[in-house]
């Protein structure tokens, strides 16, 4: 499932791609978005993973696979900084999944906070794989604690980039320039949940979930971001320093802002891409 050794940039890239694909697959499966035929089965220790595959009989799952492949292109080029995967019931967001990526050649540290475990470890392949398993296991456990989705759910995804390296005309396959810069709103009181992070010598990937507080049955207190939710603005995302609590991701109630002019001015707008939104009225 993961590379035997994670000592080169290419092996690290393969790991990050697989973590992203498995995480998105986990979300779609545990939230009941697509039929069983849209998934293959793999095992990670005792954890049964359902992974999206190109199921031509289900256009919705096929579209998500294409979105993931588009994100792979941006990862390979080291352009993408943030990926937002949102489940919405118009006009409000029900759940949002945030994937943050960093690229570096220096030796980083691995910082994991989940299920009463907090540690910093070296970056041997064994530690990276352990962090990967922990992230996926935490995500699966969190999915089991979320309340049911509304029937009229719509799936959307947005990619944000490092402006200083990304060409202005760049769009990953299957994506286009963001055409809906308006705010995305949560109807109730949302909370921000830290799922975990995986760091290699070349990449860092963090996963967080934002949803309405009432929809989480029994979230581990270690997962709740203290400064949580929910307005996400895009200023400061080109900074090299690693903001542990994401100073650039500002969280306030009800307003998830993808319009940036009031915050940082039009001349410093964050480049944003999106694919077509995907309505899922006939999900399983």
């Amino acid at each position: 499932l993961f590379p035997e050794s994670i000592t080169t940039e290419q092996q690290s890239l393969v790991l990050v791609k697989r973590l992203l694909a498995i995480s998105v697959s986990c979300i779609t499966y545990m939230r009941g978005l697509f039929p069983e035929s849209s998934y293959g089965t793999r095992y990670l220790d005792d954890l049964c993973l359902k992974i999206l595959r190109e199921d031509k009989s289900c256009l919705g799952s096929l579209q998500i696979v294409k979105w993931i492949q588009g994100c792979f292109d941006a990862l390979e080029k080291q352009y993408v900084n943030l990926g937002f995967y949102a489940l919405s019931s118009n006009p409000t967001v029900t759940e949002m999944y945030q994937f943050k990526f960093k690229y570096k050649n220096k030796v980083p540290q691995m910082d994991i906070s989940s299920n009463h475990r907090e540690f910093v470890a070296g970056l041997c392949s064994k530690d990276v794989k352990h962090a990967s398993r922990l992230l996926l296991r935490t995500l699966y456990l969190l999915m089991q604690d979320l309340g049911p989705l509304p029937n009229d759910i719509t799936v959307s995804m947005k990619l944000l980039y490092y402006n200083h390296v990304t060409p202005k005309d760049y769009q990953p396959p299957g994506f286009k320039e963001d055409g809906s810069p308006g705010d995305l709103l949560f109807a109730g009181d949302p909370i921000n949940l830290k799922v975990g992070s995986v760091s290699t010598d070349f990449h860092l990937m963090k996963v967080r979930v934002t949803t309405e507080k009432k929809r989480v049955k029994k979230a581990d207190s270690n997962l709740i971001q203290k400064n949580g939710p929910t307005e996400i603005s895009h200023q400061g995302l080109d900074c090299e320093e690693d903001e542990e609590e994401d100073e650039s991701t500002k969280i306030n109630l009800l307003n998830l802002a993808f319009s940036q002019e009031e915050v940082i001015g039009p001349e410093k707008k964050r480049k944003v891409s999106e694919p077509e939104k995907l309505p899922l009225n006939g999900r399983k």
Side-chain angles (χ1 to χ4, degrees):
L1 195 58
F2 298 129
E4 281 298 317
S5 176
I6 308 168
T7 56
T8 69
E9 186 172 3
Q10 182 59 33
Q11 291 167 339
S12 176
L13 177 63
V14 170
L15 173 74
V16 172
K17 284 181 176 180
R18 290 183 181 175
L19 275 175
L20 175 64
I22 294 170
S23 297
V24 174
S25 297
C26 164
I27 294 163
T28 63
Y29 184 79
M30 297 298 289
R31 306 312 284 136
L33 300 186
F34 305 118
E36 190 76 26
S37 61
S38 297
Y39 299 89
T41 301
R42 299 289 295 273
Y43 287 89
L44 184 63
D45 298 332
D46 60 338
L47 187 62
C48 179
L49 302 174
K50 295 292 185 176
I51 302 176
L52 278 167
R53 58 188 179 188
E54 295 189 56
D55 179 11
K56 295 182 179 180
S57 66
C58 180
L59 295 180
S61 63
L62 192 60
Q63 187 64 55
I64 298 294
V65 170
K66 290 181 179 178
W67 292 3
I68 295 172
Q69 292 170 344
C71 192
F72 285 175
D73 185 82
L75 278 169
E76 290 169 2
K77 293 178 169 64
Q78 298 192 357
Y79 292 163
V80 65
N81 173 225
L82 285 170
F84 293 104
Y85 182 82
L87 305 180
S88 307
S89 179
N90 288 333
T92 59
V93 177
T94 304
E95 297 168 10
M96 189 189 70
Y97 301 85
Q98 175 185 333
F99 299 89
K100 180 175 182 178
F101 305 100
K102 293 194 71 173
Y103 316 92
K104 63 252 190 239
N105 293 318
K106 62 183 180 180
V107 177
Q109 288 184 316
M110 177 172 60
D111 185 358
I112 300 292
S113 293
S114 175
N115 294 337
H116 305 290
R117 300 179 186 179
E118 296 185 7
F119 58 90
V120 175
L123 291 178
C124 69
S125 298
K126 181 179 178 181
D127 292 325
V128 174
K129 290 180 182 179
H130 176 68
S132 302
R133 288 193 294 268
L134 183 58
L135 185 150
L136 292 174
R137 190 175 297 276
T138 302
L139 186 59
Y140 263 77
L141 291 173
L142 177 59
M143 294 295 98
Q144 295 174 15
D145 285 336
L146 293 178
L149 291 170
N151 291 326
D152 59 336
I153 206 71
T154 297
V155 179
S156 60
M157 188 173 188
K158 292 179 186 282
L159 298 181
L160 286 72
Y161 304 90
Y162 287 102
N163 279 353
H164 67 287
V165 295
T166 307
K168 290 184 178 180
D169 60 351
Y170 172 75
Q171 297 295 342
F175 284 75
K176 61 181 181 178
E177 185 176 354
D178 181 25
S180 54
D183 296 347
L184 297 177
L185 307 176
F186 282 89
D189 181 11
I191 56 173
N192 210 31
L193 304 171
K194 298 183 293 183
V195 177
S197 63
V198 174
S199 186
T200 74
D201 288 345
F202 306 96
H203 298 87
L204 169 68
M205 174 177 164
K206 289 185 178 183
V207 182
R208 289 188 174 132
V209 179
T210 306
T211 188
E212 294 176 39
K213 191 173 184 179
K214 65 181 182 181
R215 303 190 68 257
V216 183
K217 298 175 184 176
K218 51 178 181 178
D220 189 320
S221 60
N222 285 343
L223 300 182
I224 299 175
Q225 185 174 335
K226 293 180 180 180
N227 295 330
T230 228
E231 171 189 329
I232 295 189
S233 55
H234 304 151
Q235 73 275 32
L237 295 181
D238 284 331
C239 297
E240 289 299 320
E241 64 268 20
D242 182 20
E243 313 88 358
E244 179 54 36
E245 292 303 327
D246 283 337
E247 301 262 340
S248 62
T249 303
K250 294 191 175 179
I251 306 292
N252 296 308
L253 289 178
L254 295 182
N255 189 17
L256 176 66
F258 280 101
S259 64
Q260 306 161 68
E261 296 211 12
E262 293 182 3
V263 181
I264 57 175
E267 72 280 358
K268 293 184 180 179
K269 268 192 184 179
R270 154 76 45 219
K271 177 179 172 63
V272 185
S273 295
E274 66 170 1
E276 296 292 337
K277 290 185 178 180
L278 185 64
L280 297 174
N281 297 325
R283 74 181 196 278
K284 67 173 183 176

